[in-house]
Amino acid sequence: MAIHKKEAFTQREQDLAAFAKALAHPARIAILKVLAQRNECICGEIVEILPLAQSTVSQHLKELKNAGLINGSVDGPRSCYCINWKAFEKFNQEFSWLFTNLKIKNEKSCC
Amino acid sequence: MAIHKKEAFTQREQDLAAFAKALAHPARIAILKVLAQRNECICGEIVEILPLAQSTVSQHLKELKNAGLINGSVDGPRSCYCINWKAFEKFNQEFSWLFTNLKIKNEKSCC
DNA sequence: TTATTTAATCGTATATTTGCGATATAAGAT
DNA sequence: ATCTTATATCGCAAATATACGATTAAATAA
């Protein structure tokens, strides 16, 4: 396929797509739910909750972190992850822009 | 990798992930924007707007349709696509459930 | 009937994602 | 110093996604 053509789209489109991609796996949705429900963030127990190997969970956490959806700090042999609400707020707005704003001017579907 | 383990997660997690996946490419975001902005839906011009080959655009449209984000009807040699606002509404609520509801009980990030 | 137009599908190449076991790393416990 | 615990990273295999050209299908125009 030669090259991915992502760079041919606007930054806003790319950002929104990247955010969606980070959410595009049930394991990552599940991780976010766990992180959101706990108030403290010693988060090793995620591995025990998810039906996946430790290395796989670690990889999903890395993806969420790279996408900016979660913060993480290494803390000795343990790690500490928690949700980056600021980023969520930003992207929630982007989604609203896509979902809601456009809906106003085009209420009825034509097919 | 043996098998994808999607089936090990809840239906709600899978559905939300599937919706996010459909949005997880800038071309599909761009397509949705075009569809939302036009009130009529003779939508062949999408191919001319996007920097992608006709077959590739057709594939992206198929994915959006399979995910339920758009409706499409074959109409002779032409096709007619438009946004399925109902599905968007549903998933917008799912996102709110993930984004907003959980935020209330956990306002401050701990790392 | 035969072209033309529009869009879907097929075949294929390449890139990316997912998953796991094995290994490495790093701090604390013994 | 060595063992243990908690995570990250590496290397690999298999599955999926992305992209395109070529072909097919289906309706209309000539």
Side-chain angles (χ1 to χ4, degrees):
Chain A
M1 66 169 159
I3 291 160
H4 273 210
K5 291 216 164 163
K6 290 183 181 160
E7 62 287 345
F9 297 92
T10 69
Q11 194 59 50
R12 204 171 191 182
E13 286 161 353
Q14 290 182 56
D15 289 350
L16 195 42
F19 178 68
K21 195 177 204 171
L23 292 174
H25 194 289
R28 293 195 287 272
I29 301 276
I31 288 171
L32 290 171
K33 272 167 67 182
V34 173
L35 289 179
Q37 278 160 0
R38 320 241 157 182
N39 266 322
E40 87 266 272
C41 75
I42 302 108
C43 296
E45 62 247 55
I46 293 168
V47 174
E48 277 145 56
I49 294 168
L50 296 214
L52 295 170
Q54 179 267 322
S55 58
T56 307
V57 172
S58 186
Q59 227 172 255
H60 281 304
L61 284 165
K62 194 181 177 186
E63 279 175 77
L64 287 170
K65 197 178 173 187
N66 285 345
L69 271 87
I70 62 175
N71 299 124
S73 56
V74 190
D75 182 23
R78 307 179 169 261
S79 280
C80 167
Y81 287 108
C82 58
I83 290 191
N84 181 358
W85 292 110
K86 222 167 169 180
F88 265 75
E89 197 52 49
K90 184 199 159 195
F91 284 111
N92 199 21
Q93 279 168 18
E94 289 290 315
F95 274 113
S96 295
W97 160 79
L98 183 64
F99 292 177
T100 312
N101 290 7
L102 294 178
K103 188 178 178 178
I104 291 162
K105 54 189 290 195
N106 190 6
E107 187 60 52
K108 56 187 185 311
S109 292
C110 51
C111 61
Chain B
M1 65 170 164
I3 291 161
H4 272 212
K5 291 217 164 164
K6 291 184 180 159
E7 62 287 345
F9 297 92
T10 68
Q11 194 59 49
R12 204 172 190 180
E13 286 161 353
Q14 289 182 55
D15 289 350
L16 194 43
F19 178 68
K21 196 177 206 172
L23 292 174
H25 195 290
R28 292 195 287 271
I29 301 277
I31 288 172
L32 290 171
K33 273 168 66 182
V34 173
L35 288 180
Q37 278 159 2
R38 320 242 157 181
N39 266 322
E40 88 265 271
C41 75
I42 302 107
C43 296
E45 62 246 54
I46 293 169
V47 174
E48 276 144 59
I49 293 168
L50 295 213
L52 295 169
Q54 178 266 324
S55 57
T56 307
V57 173
S58 187
Q59 228 171 253
H60 281 305
L61 284 165
K62 193 181 176 186
E63 279 176 75
L64 287 170
K65 197 178 173 188
N66 285 344
L69 271 86
I70 62 175
N71 299 124
S73 56
V74 191
D75 181 24
R78 306 179 169 263
S79 280
C80 166
Y81 287 108
C82 57
I83 292 191
N84 181 358
W85 291 112
K86 222 167 170 178
F88 264 75
E89 197 51 50
K90 183 198 159 195
F91 283 111
N92 199 21
Q93 280 169 17
E94 289 290 315
F95 274 113
S96 296
W97 161 77
L98 184 65
F99 293 175
T100 311
N101 291 6
L102 294 177
K103 189 179 178 176
I104 289 164
K105 52 190 290 194
N106 190 4
E107 187 59 54
K108 55 189 184 310
S109 293
C110 50
C111 62

